[in-house]
């Protein structure tokens, strides 16, 4: 039998969930059952915590301490882009393989890059913006009417300036 868990120990569990929907308890049970939590209750907490991201797949970070789970959303670049398109929530069961052919502003791209900066592998903000533009290309949207790859070429040529941005560092205890 595995050793008993220390109740004061902080355990972090990351999983993918659809915003606003309670995930299947059968998929949650093996991850959080050993921590002494009810999969149904945690599923409901995830549904409440991801209500703003209705219909989008997002990564959820569960922080478990004293058999209490707190839910925080860790949005991906694609989820932030689709959210910036301001599309109405869709029913995933009925509408599949949807093309997002909207248009987002340059300011939106910079805001998304600022959110993603702490998790980006790029050394400078310019690289993070290019990562976001690559995701925008995959999603299928345009930036101020231009194809995302054209905007990347503008950044490389120096036609578009990207101001450096250092995110606030997370202090680990």
């Amino acid at each position: 039998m595995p050793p008993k868990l220390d109740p004061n120990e902080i355990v972090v569990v990351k999983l993918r969930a659809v915003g606003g929907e309670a995930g299947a308890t059968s998929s949650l049970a093996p991850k959080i059952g050993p921590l002494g939590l009810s999969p149904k209750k945690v599923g409901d907490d995830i549904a409440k915590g991801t209500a703003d991201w209705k219909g989008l797949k997002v990564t959820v970070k569960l922080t478990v301490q004293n058999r209490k789970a707190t839910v925080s959303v860790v949005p991906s670049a694609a989820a932030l882009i689709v959210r910036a398109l301001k599309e109405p929530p869709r029913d995933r069961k009925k509408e599949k393989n949807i093309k997002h052919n909207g248009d987002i502003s340059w300011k939106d791209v910079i805001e998304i890059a600022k959110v993603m900066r702490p998790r980006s592998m790029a050394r400078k903000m310019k690289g993070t913006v290019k990562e976001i533009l690559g995701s925008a290309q995959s999603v299928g949207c345009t930036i101020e009417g231009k194809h995302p790859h054209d905007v990347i070429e503008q950044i490389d040529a120096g036609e578009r300036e990207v101001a450096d941005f250092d995110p606030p560092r997370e202090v680990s205890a």
Side-chain angles (χ1 to χ4, degrees):
M1 209 168 128
K4 276 288 208 191
L5 280 166
D6 177 23
N8 295 326
E9 184 184 9
I10 297 173
V11 180
V12 176
V13 180
K14 289 185 179 178
L15 46 109
R16 294 278 282 168
V18 178
E21 292 179 22
T25 52
S26 59
S27 65
L28 282 173
K31 293 179 184 95
I32 60 173
L35 303 174
L37 295 166
S38 157
K40 179 149 178 42
K41 187 178 168 300
V42 172
D44 294 341
D45 289 348
I46 290 171
K48 278 188 209 131
T50 60
D52 304 351
W53 301 88
K54 195 160 175 50
L56 294 174
K57 270 202 137 189
V58 289
T59 305
V60 177
K61 183 175 158 188
L62 291 173
T63 310
V64 182
Q65 186 177 22
N66 297 334
R67 294 185 63 200
K68 297 264 187 294
T70 53
V71 177
S72 58
V73 178
V74 184
S76 65
L80 288 165
I81 290 167
V82 172
R83 192 176 189 193
L85 289 170
K86 295 175 182 69
E87 291 180 348
R90 63 185 177 92
D91 186 9
R92 288 182 345 110
K93 289 178 180 72
K94 291 179 187 148
E95 300 171 43
K96 300 226 187 265
N97 301 328
I98 196 142
K99 280 278 176 223
H100 306 280
N101 54 1
D103 190 62
I104 59 174
S105 69
W106 175 249
K107 197 173 134 222
D108 287 339
V109 172
I110 298 293
E111 289 304 311
I112 293 168
K114 283 181 179 179
V115 171
M116 293 297 292
R117 185 74 183 116
R119 290 183 286 143
S120 171
M121 289 291 151
R123 287 183 301 167
K124 292 193 162 69
M125 181 67 168
K126 187 189 282 192
T128 307
V129 170
K130 286 184 190 178
E131 286 177 8
I132 302 307
L133 291 169
S135 298
Q137 185 173 344
S138 299
V139 167
C141 66
T142 55
I143 287 79
E144 295 175 346
K146 293 188 180 92
H147 191 273
H149 204 271
D150 297 340
V151 179
I152 290 174
E153 286 172 359
Q154 285 180 345
I155 292 169
D156 288 339
E159 294 168 31
R160 273 197 198 247
E161 278 298 311
V162 179
D164 251 350
F165 173 77
D166 285 320
R169 297 258 178 239
E170 286 184 24
V171 180
S172 56

